[in-house]
Amino acid sequence: MISLKKNIAVSESGFVFNPTTGDSFSLNGVGTDILKLMKDGKSEAEIKTMVRTSYDVDDDTFDKDYYDFLKMLGQYKLLDAE
């Protein structure tokens, strides 16, 4: 299961801070929602359902954008892989 590192801070406005590296990022609303769901320990299926309920997006678009987003999070060393 892929999860967000426990020390990553995510604000309500989408500001993300990695205290390990000192890096910070800004996310749009969808990215912020996904990170909050990941911090809450939601599964990929739960995240997909919640995002599909909140935003008008089809399965193929969600899957492509979600995996691109996870790849980006990995590149910035924000993920733990179990």
Side-chain angles (χ1 to χ4, degrees):
M1 178 177 166
I2 296 173
S3 62
L4 193 65
K5 288 184 177 176
K6 299 212 183 299
N7 65 343
I8 302 299
V10 182
S11 75
E12 290 296 319
S13 63
F15 181 78
V16 180
F17 179 67
N18 182 345
T20 303
T21 63
D23 293 331
S24 59
F25 314 90
S26 293
L27 299 175
N28 65 17
V30 178
T32 303
D33 287 348
I34 290 172
L35 253 57
K36 287 179 185 174
L37 293 167
M38 290 176 76
K39 281 192 81 73
D40 290 342
K42 301 297 183 192
S43 70
E44 180 180 325
E46 291 171 314
I47 292 170
K48 183 174 185 173
T49 299
M50 291 178 177
V51 170
R52 295 267 345 262
T53 301
S54 299
Y55 299 94
D56 183 24
V57 60
D58 61 74
D59 282 339
D60 291 339
T61 302
F62 173 84
D63 289 344
K64 180 193 175 305
D65 291 348
Y66 180 72
Y67 291 113
D68 286 347
F69 184 62
L70 290 181
K71 183 176 178 181
M72 182 196 70
L73 294 175
Q75 289 172 342
Y76 288 107
K77 304 185 183 334
L78 300 175
L79 298 178
D80 278 327
E82 296 177 9

